[in-house]
Amino acid sequence: LRFRQRFFTIISRLIKVKRRNQTNVSAAAPPAHVAVIMDGNGRWARKRGLPRSAGHAAGAETFRRIATHCKNLGVKHLTVYAFSTENWKRPAEEIENIMDVLERYLTEAIGTMERDRVKMRFFGDTAMLSEKLRRLIAESEALSDSFDGVEVHLCVNYGGRSEIVRAAERLRSSNDEITAEAFEAQLYSAGIPDPDIIIRTGGETRLSNFLLWQSAYSELFFTDTLWPDFSERELDGIFAAFAARDRRYGGV
Ligand code: IPE
Ligand code: IPE
Ligand code: MG
């Protein structure tokens, strides 16, 4: 009988601990949509005397970690800037290298897709990418299309201005009335809520043509941490600071 009593005490304690954790989670609910400008790969490599390519490879690893963390915290949408329409200005060798990193990342992601169940989408003009990359993009979108958990939006050859011009062009050919809603429906991000938070690593305090329409009321966070060094802990800190911000949307 004593054993049974002890057993019940332990179980009821466990239930209490579980309840407490649940209320903690809901008290600091993570932002629904997190967007990240993953900057600082090149400087991270230079600091270590490594080629910039090593920075991009390390950056891909950080992305994997941070995406997993966001998924575990219950973030619904994660949008990341991987390659901008302006990044074509870089030396051909570096562009090739970034594309290689992307190919390797997608090949692995496709391999673990059933296990990870992350829905993948791409924002940007993918027509300009290599055939191999386009094939990987199509495959990862098709394979993950039915998943209903976290959604990752990878911005590749993405620019906010070209997204807006493209949307205007599409709206014109649709003959729909011009409204904010009709316009939004033509963006890459159609159907996805605007980012609650935009984080930029690497110390620059600018948007560099990222999500120009969608960022209207995003909370902005800038950190000097170079992207490969960005940690789950730092993200937790940013989420805590986000929870304390007062979002007024123009009201009082
Ligand atoms: C961000 O890191 C990755 C891409 C733009 C593809 P950078 O390559 O811009 O790194 P820094 O800013 O030169 O350190
Ligand atoms: C922004 O970083 C683009 C990505 C992170 C993909 P950049 O390094 O290209 O931005 P600038 O040139 O410092 O504005
Ligand atoms: Mg940079």
Side-chain angles (χ1 to χ4, degrees), residues 1-77:
L1 196 77
R2 230 155 92 223
F3 173 77
R4 253 178 66 177
Q5 239 167 14
R6 277 196 60 182
F7 178 75
F8 283 120
T9 328
I10 287 167
I11 290 293
S12 73
R13 267 194 209 141
L14 280 176
I15 289 170
K16 266 186 213 145
V17 166
K18 190 149 181 257
R19 278 213 195 106
R20 204 181 317 132
N21 286 341
Q22 275 169 349
T23 51
N24 276 351
V25 166
S26 60
H33 185 173
V34 177
V36 187
I37 302 172
M38 309 182 290
D39 196 23
N41 294 349
R43 279 163 287 160
W44 180 90
R46 197 177 56 210
K47 260 177 53 184
R48 286 166 177 72
L50 297 169
R52 291 178 63 85
S53 58
H56 297 310
E61 280 312 312
T62 303
F63 170 66
R64 229 186 293 267
R65 273 196 291 109
I66 294 300
T68 305
H69 191 59
C70 283
K71 179 185 164 181
N72 293 340
L73 291 177
V75 169
K76 180 74 181 121
H77 299 277

Side-chain angles (χ1 to χ4, degrees), residues 39 200-208 220-224:
D39 196 23
R200 182 172 188 146
T201 62
E204 313 292 356
T205 44
R206 53 177 171 256
L207 289 177
S208 301
L220 307 180
F221 286 85
F222 298 97
T223 168
D224 288 338

Side-chain angles (χ1 to χ4, degrees), residues 195-228:
D196 296 295
I197 177 171
I198 297 180
I199 300 166
R200 182 172 188 146
T201 62
E204 313 292 356
T205 44
R206 53 177 171 256
L207 289 177
S208 301
N209 205 11
F210 189 47
L211 304 177
L212 296 183
W213 171 281
Q214 299 88 338
S215 60
Y217 272 99
S218 302
E219 295 294 330
L220 307 180
F221 286 85
F222 298 97
T223 168
D224 288 338
T225 305
L226 303 171
W227 174 248

